[in-house]
Amino acid sequence: MTATTFVRCILFLTLAAGLARAGADADLWGHVRFGQELLASQRLVITDTHSFTSDKPWINHEWLAEVAMASAFALLGPLGLNLLRLACLAIIAALIWRRLSAFNPPARVLDALLVVAMLGVHSRAAQVRPQLFSLLLFSVMLTILTDVDRRGDRRVMLLIAPLMALWANLHGGWIVGLECLVTWAGCKLLERATSRDRITLVAFVVSAVLATVLNPHGVGLWWFLLDTVRVSRPYIEEWQPIYRLQGWAWLFWLLPASLAVFAAARSKFRLEPRYALVVLLLAVTSLLVSRLDAFFTLAVAFLFAEPLAANRPHRISDAHAERRIQRLRPALACVVIVVLPFVASRAARIPIGHPPMPEREAAEFVAHTGLHGRVLVWFDWGEYVIWHFSPQLRVSIDGRRETVYSDQLIASHMAFYLGDATAIDLPTRIAADYIWVPKWIPVVAKLRDHGWAPVFEGPQSIIMAPGRTDTHRLTLASADAKIRVFPGP
């Protein structure tokens, strides 16, 4: 074993240890629960039974992702969910490695580019969520497009339509893929080509568009996404423009942007126009919607692979002169023996941290007292409550947002949380039996003056009921500081 090989192994073990830890997204409880219900019903479409305010037919555009997540959870619990996530990341890394390796870069360059790309992807893959499948399928699509350009064999384009059909049932990110496909194809049509080649290309793109209809909602999915996918979603952090977020958000945009500028400079600004246009499209859209930054990173890694990786000088020591160090092999074995249990322990648990959920004691209070009925709940907590207490408690809102709730209902909740005078009567209007929200939000103080009294109050959350209630109040000065893991409580 050479010193270079040893260092590379340590590098990738470190990367694996970093990627192994997953977090619990606020919607994770719902994704697994809804997937379980789909599997139990053996139907592709189910009606909502968890909310008492849903005022729209449920368009579950992530149903297949939820079935996959429920199946993984049934098999291995939280470890199964995390292994599903890590499998997606591993395939993405393998595809990036394959693309970069085609240009025979030195090992140090290949490793550096791969690590930087995976760090950029990890910004949106640190939690178990359906968007993972979009990142994976976007990587597959870019692999297909770059293979077509590099090898000239368009038969591989036959995979695009099945890919889009699968994608449309996993996550709404297929829109990003379709936009990039159309941009790439449009540029190809402007190149010198025979009429037959142009007709073939148009046919592939049209078949990709039509393939997205192959979902339980048919064309209805198109109308739903056209109506709901917009740049402005003021209540969701990752849908905000980067310039409105904290400074760290810029890091995951500047990372691919710096690589793109470096690639352009290295190629003396002679980039493939179709690749440059796709990268520019994602650079701009990820500025406006921060959650697209991982797509931007992937586009740079795949489409600018040649200017980033090609024509790099190989050091003589890399290929010939580096002597083998016999002691490195057992040293590496020792490192692996030490690191693997650490990686496994990180992968086996999904900590509950950001966003924070209600205290464990709050969930135990609800279970012990047998609360049942309608609860006006904090937006991020809806699916947590659904997992633990539905159907005894039905929620007023949850992370499904516009798939089951109208814009007016969502806006009413946000105004209520802020203590807006026009929305303070929302609990009365929706006939809520309880209110369960973070104790620090502005509306809590005002609710006490509108006939609501606490029945549970902890450091994080407060549960309130109409002033006259038979439920005994429980107040906690502090909560259990032990790290909580999915599914909790």
Side-chain angles (χ1 to χ4, degrees):
M1 175 181 290
T2 64
T4 298
T5 303
F6 180 80
V7 171
R8 294 184 77 187
C9 291
I10 295 299
L11 174 66
F12 288 117
L13 278 173
T14 304
L15 180 63
L19 295 178
R21 183 181 176 90
D25 181 75
D27 296 335
L28 180 57
W29 288 266
H31 289 315
V32 179
R33 174 69 179 266
F34 305 145
Q36 291 172 336
E37 292 174 350
L38 284 163
L39 289 170
S41 68
Q42 297 185 344
R43 298 171 58 190
L44 299 182
V45 179
I46 56 177
T47 57
D48 172 52
T49 60
H50 305 293
S51 171
F52 66 94
T53 57
S54 55
D55 50 2
K56 292 173 61 177
W58 186 9
I59 304 293
N60 188 355
H61 60 295
E62 298 169 341
W63 72 272
L64 188 55
E66 291 176 345
V67 167
M69 293 167 73
S71 300
F73 184 77
L75 187 63
L76 292 172
L79 175 61
L81 287 171
N82 206 8
L83 288 177
L84 179 65
R85 166 182 162 272
L86 291 173
C88 291
L89 289 175
I91 297 172
I92 291 171
L95 292 174
I96 295 174
W97 180 87
R98 174 183 179 271
R99 173 64 175 161
L100 293 170
S101 296
F103 302 101
N104 192 31
R108 64 187 184 279
V109 174
L110 176 61
D111 295 348
L113 291 173
L114 181 59
V115 170
V116 169
M118 291 310 297
L119 288 176
V121 171
H122 187 253
S123 68
R124 301 299 166 185
Q127 297 171 317
V128 184
R129 54 194 305 196
Q131 189 178 4
L132 285 165
F133 295 103
S134 274
L135 296 174
L136 171 60
L137 296 184
F138 187 63
S139 299
V140 174
M141 191 190 74
L142 292 178
T143 298
I144 293 172
L145 299 185
T146 52
D147 275 6
V148 169
D149 287 333
R150 186 169 175 81
R151 299 179 180 179
D153 185 359
R154 294 192 176 182
R155 289 177 296 179
V156 73
M157 288 285 289
L158 292 170
L159 298 174
I160 290 288
L163 178 77
M164 294 305 298
L166 177 64
W167 201 344
N169 290 278
L170 286 166
H171 185 253
W174 63 267
I175 296 177
V176 177
L178 190 61
E179 289 173 348
C180 293
L181 173 63
V182 170
T183 302
W184 174 86
C187 292
K188 292 282 283 185
L189 288 174
L190 296 177
E191 298 175 356
R192 292 182 179 180
T194 65
S195 297
R196 180 180 178 181
D197 287 341
R198 290 177 177 173
I199 292 172
T200 301
L201 186 59
V202 170
F204 280 134
V205 173
V206 171
S207 66
V209 174
L210 295 178
T212 62
V213 180
L214 300 177
N215 69 83
H217 310 286
V219 180
L221 179 64
W222 289 1
W223 307 133
F224 164 75
L225 292 174
L226 286 172
D227 183 52
T228 59
V229 174
R230 57 185 75 97
V231 172
S232 176
R233 287 187 179 181
Y235 314 120
I236 306 172
E237 180 178 337
E238 64 180 21
W239 279 87
Q240 301 309 302
I242 288 179
Y243 50 80
R244 292 183 184 173
L245 301 178
Q246 296 177 355
W248 63 265
W250 279 101
L251 172 65
F252 297 107
W253 187 87
L254 290 174
L255 197 67
S258 300
L259 280 179
V261 171
F262 179 71
R266 196 164 185 271
S267 68
K268 299 180 180 179
F269 298 92
R270 295 174 182 174
L271 298 167
E272 287 285 350
R274 56 186 175 278
Y275 292 169
L277 195 56
V278 170
V279 169
L280 180 61
L281 171 67
L282 288 170
V284 173
T285 54
S286 59
L287 264 179
L288 300 176
V289 180
S290 64
R291 68 180 287 162
L292 298 179
D293 51 15
F295 292 93
F296 180 26
T297 298
L298 288 171
V300 172
F302 280 95
L303 303 181
F304 287 176
E306 184 171 2
L308 287 172
N311 301 318
R312 296 276 190 174
H314 287 258
R315 295 176 182 171
I316 296 177
S317 59
D318 288 346
H320 303 290
E322 186 171 2
R323 65 187 180 88
R324 295 180 178 275
I325 305 176
Q326 297 300 325
R327 295 178 182 179
L328 287 181
R329 186 170 296 172
L332 179 61
C334 291
V335 172
V336 170
I337 291 172
V338 171
V339 170
L340 280 185
F342 172 71
V343 173
S345 66
R346 288 169 65 88
R349 304 192 307 165
I350 301 178
I352 302 171
H354 181 76
M357 291 294 116
E359 307 90 339
R360 174 181 57 79
E361 294 83 355
E364 291 175 348
F365 171 82
V366 173
H368 177 73
T369 56
L371 296 189
H372 61 277
R374 302 177 167 197
V375 57
L376 193 164
V377 72
W378 179 241
F379 176 83
D380 276 340
W381 296 353
E383 295 185 19
Y384 173 89
V385 175
I386 287 172
W387 172 275
H388 288 290
F389 303 112
S390 182
Q392 289 79 18
L393 282 179
R394 299 174 67 199
V395 300
S396 64
I397 198 168
D398 62 86
R400 290 173 293 173
R401 301 188 312 269
E402 63 275 359
T403 65
V404 288
Y405 303 107
S406 64
D407 289 344
Q408 181 180 1
L409 185 70
I410 296 173
S412 295
H413 275 77
M414 300 305 162
F416 170 77
Y417 299 147
L418 294 173
D420 192 300
T422 62
I424 198 68
D425 64 338
L426 179 63
T428 302
R429 283 191 274 126
I430 62 176
D433 300 308
Y434 304 98
I435 300 172
W436 191 357
V437 293
K439 63 181 297 182
W440 49 264
I441 63 175
V443 74
V444 170
K446 297 183 179 182
L447 287 171
R448 301 174 191 267
D449 299 328
H450 285 77
W452 291 84
V455 295
F456 172 90
E457 186 171 355
Q460 175 67 23
S461 72
I462 186 169
I463 302 175
M464 308 184 80
R468 294 182 178 180
T469 177
D470 296 329
T471 306
H472 297 290
R473 175 175 175 174
L474 175 62
T475 303
L476 292 178
S478 63
D480 187 351
K482 183 180 179 181
I483 295 177
R484 299 160 63 199
V485 296
F486 177 85

